[in-house]
Amino acid sequence: MKKIFFFFYTTLLIACSSTEESNSVATTNTTNNNGITPQNVRNYMVDPNATDETVALFYNLKKMAETKFAIGQQDAFNSFYNNDSSQSDIKKSTGYDPALLGCDFMFITDDNNTGEASNWFYQQELKIITDAKQAYDNGMFVTFSWHMREPYEGQEFYTSEMTDFQKYNALISLLPGGTNHEYYKTKLDKIATVLTNLKGTDNKQIPVILRLFHEFDGGWFWWGSQWCTAAQYQQLWQFTVEYLRDTKSVHNILYAFSPDNSYNTESQYLSRYPGDTYVDILAMDNYGDFNNQGTSGATTANNKLKMLSDLAIAKKKIAALSETGYQVSNANPPINGWFSNYLYTALTDQNIQIAYTMFWYNTQDAYYVPTPTNSNVNDFIDFTNKPKTTLVNNLPNLYQLPN
């Protein structure tokens, strides 16, 4: 589990392969191995009325996963190692930006966001929106997590900083009829406004992957399994989707379901699953299996991703490793071959189909993605040059369905 700092956000996903290979994702063989076609793809999505660009993103990510995966990073345009803000750290090392940008709704929905130009939280909102637009205009895709603060005091999302009352009542209070249900709707209204107005220079709504209530199998967030029943978790998820899609008419969202790495079997993974009609992307966060675990950790992670990939194929969903990384700092030296050996093996062995992976954000004092002066930069470059990886330069046109 990564440490989330207050200034936060980010994530991006990238991988490298030849331009010809990546472009073929969107121009040839327009039937996926599980029967999804450009003509029937809407039948398998949470929102059958999704914008054309959102439909295309779903199809092209699903198709791309058959041959390669994209590389991303959280807050890639704003969180840097050693505070060099000239460009993303991934671009500093490889010459290209990531394929995926990770953002967060935390500051956007914060109780302290007044919408005034002088307000720090509103300034962060504008920065996030600008980053998402830049990513889309550059051909990248965008994912949003939501570290929503608990609804009673509006201060914390980590349960280690909350009272027992807050831990056991935060999620339940947001359900229809709950004491904070109307409050929750105001937060969803804010998200709906942002996403409805999130447009690129082409004046089209930008598709967004919304990763709701992630890492719920642990207890560190108030929506975790220790603090609510499976039925309550599922009810809140379903309400959220229906409110955004049906009540607020937001049609540029793909919904991602992403526990942490504790699940080894399909039955475990699906224990809190809200249903096929509420999920587009089956994902998993995994730091622990890569935390200096060597080959055995890579094998363990690959077996979990194999389970995930098989489930996504069966359910006609997209599979993803939605957060990962090994944070290098003064206390944690680089691991030889971490990117090009252990991570790449975990993402490719057993012919799994993972559409993207995302590293957490860099800070001034520690990093998940090395910059050119770091000793493991060549390991990262080797990783991005592997046959099944892609950065932004080798992405297909994700926002247009093939003919």
Side-chain angles (χ1 to χ4, degrees), residues 25 32 102 127 146 161 183 189 197 242 282 308 348 359 384:
V25 170
N32 284 294
K127 186 183 295 184
W146 188 15
E161 308 298 326
Y183 169 88
D189 290 344
N197 292 287
E242 291 172 354
L282 302 179
L308 188 66
T348 57
F359 302 109
T384 65

Side-chain angles (χ1 to χ4, degrees), residues 372-392:
T373 60
N374 299 125
S375 63
N376 60 339
V377 67
N378 287 331
D379 179 34
F380 181 71
I381 292 172
D382 289 345
F383 170 73
T384 65
N385 286 327
K386 292 281 189 178
K388 290 189 175 183
T389 63
T390 187
L391 296 172
V392 67

Side-chain angles (χ1 to χ4, degrees), residues 111-158:
D111 289 350
N112 294 307
N113 187 339
T114 65
E116 299 171 336
S118 61
N119 179 262
W120 184 89
F121 292 89
Y122 183 62
Q123 292 169 2
Q124 304 315 301
E125 174 183 336
L126 296 180
K127 186 183 295 184
I128 296 166
I129 290 172
T130 298
D131 287 352
K133 290 179 177 180
Q134 177 185 339
Y136 172 79
D137 287 341
N138 290 343
M140 300 162 60
F141 60 109
V142 179
T143 181
F144 271 82
S145 51
W146 188 15
H147 291 83
M148 181 184 175
R149 304 186 195 277
E150 57 79 24
Y152 291 99
E153 300 293 334
Q155 297 296 316
E156 308 292 345
F157 50 82
Y158 279 132

Side-chain angles (χ1 to χ4, degrees), residues 14-15 53 134 188 197 219 303 314 338 343 345 351 359:
I14 297 177
E53 290 72 30
Q134 177 185 339
L188 295 179
N197 292 287
N303 287 334
W338 190 92
L343 181 60
T345 295
N351 296 313
F359 302 109

Side-chain angles (χ1 to χ4, degrees), residues 96-389:
Y96 301 102
D97 276 322
L100 167 68
L101 174 68
C103 303
D104 200 283
F105 277 117
M106 180 174 67
F107 296 145
I108 293 175
T109 61
D110 196 284
D111 289 350
N112 294 307
N113 187 339
T114 65
E116 299 171 336
S118 61
N119 179 262
W120 184 89
F121 292 89
Y122 183 62
Q123 292 169 2
Q124 304 315 301
E125 174 183 336
L126 296 180
K127 186 183 295 184
I128 296 166
I129 290 172
T130 298
D131 287 352
K133 290 179 177 180
Q134 177 185 339
Y136 172 79
D137 287 341
N138 290 343
M140 300 162 60
F141 60 109
V142 179
T143 181
F144 271 82
S145 51
W146 188 15
H147 291 83
M148 181 184 175
R149 304 186 195 277
E150 57 79 24
Y152 291 99
E153 300 293 334
Q155 297 296 316
E156 308 292 345
F157 50 82
Y158 279 132
T159 53
S160 60
E161 308 298 326
M162 294 166 57
T163 67
D164 284 345
F165 175 83
Q166 291 169 336
K167 294 174 188 177
Y168 284 102
N169 289 278
L171 184 140
I172 299 170
S173 75
L174 303 183
L175 296 173
T179 55
N180 290 310
H181 181 64
E182 294 303 316
Y183 169 88
Y184 183 56
K185 286 165 65 175
T186 66
K187 301 304 181 185
L188 295 179
D189 290 344
K190 176 66 175 183
I191 288 175
T193 298
V194 169
L195 293 184
T196 300
N197 292 287
L198 188 65
K199 297 180 180 180
T201 55
D202 59 6
N203 203 37
K204 295 180 178 178
Q205 288 181 336
I206 298 173
V208 163
I209 296 169
L210 178 56
R211 192 162 59 103
L212 286 170
F213 306 122
H214 66 298
E215 297 179 7
F216 54 83
D217 46 329
W220 46 88
F221 296 137
W222 52 261
W223 53 85
S225 58
Q226 290 180 231
W227 319 114
C228 62
T229 67
Q232 289 164 343
Y233 180 89
Q234 292 162 341
Q235 184 183 4
L236 185 61
W237 182 292
Q238 291 165 357
F239 169 81
T240 302
V241 171
E242 291 172 354
Y243 188 79
L244 290 172
R245 181 192 62 195
D246 304 334
T247 302
K248 304 302 293 186
S249 299
V250 184
H251 298 300
N252 54 328
I253 301 176
L254 298 178
Y255 295 90
F257 177 80
S258 63
D260 197 47
N261 71 336
S262 69
Y263 296 142
N264 294 289
T265 67
E266 289 187 2
S267 61
Q268 291 173 329
Y269 185 86
L270 296 174
S271 61
R272 292 188 168 235
Y273 187 60
D276 290 348
T277 56
Y278 293 93
V279 174
D280 294 298
I281 297 171
L282 302 179
M284 177 180 289
D285 293 1
N286 193 344
Y287 294 86
D289 292 331
F290 297 107
N291 187 14
N292 207 14
Q293 302 299 308
T295 299
S296 63
T299 299
T300 299
N302 176 251
N303 287 334
K304 293 174 183 177
L305 291 174
K306 171 65 173 173
M307 175 272 292
L308 188 66
S309 172
D310 288 349
L311 191 60
I313 291 171
K315 289 182 171 294
K316 296 180 171 58
K317 306 294 181 184
I318 296 162
L321 178 57
S322 43
E323 272 190 48
T324 194
Y326 175 76
Q327 189 181 52
V328 177
S329 65
N330 289 336
N332 297 304
I335 297 171
N336 185 42
W338 190 92
F339 292 102
S340 61
N341 184 0
Y342 303 127
L343 181 60
Y344 189 76
T345 295
L347 285 163
T348 57
D349 271 10
Q350 302 189 77
N351 296 313
I352 62 175
Q353 295 184 16
I354 303 297
Y356 62 86
T357 188
M358 186 181 79
F359 302 109
W360 205 239
Y361 59 81
N362 289 355
T363 71
Q364 179 180 355
D365 302 316
Y367 65 86
Y368 287 95
V369 173
T371 53
T373 60
N374 299 125
S375 63
N376 60 339
V377 67
N378 287 331
D379 179 34
F380 181 71
I381 292 172
D382 289 345
F383 170 73
T384 65
N385 286 327
K386 292 281 189 178
K388 290 189 175 183
T389 63

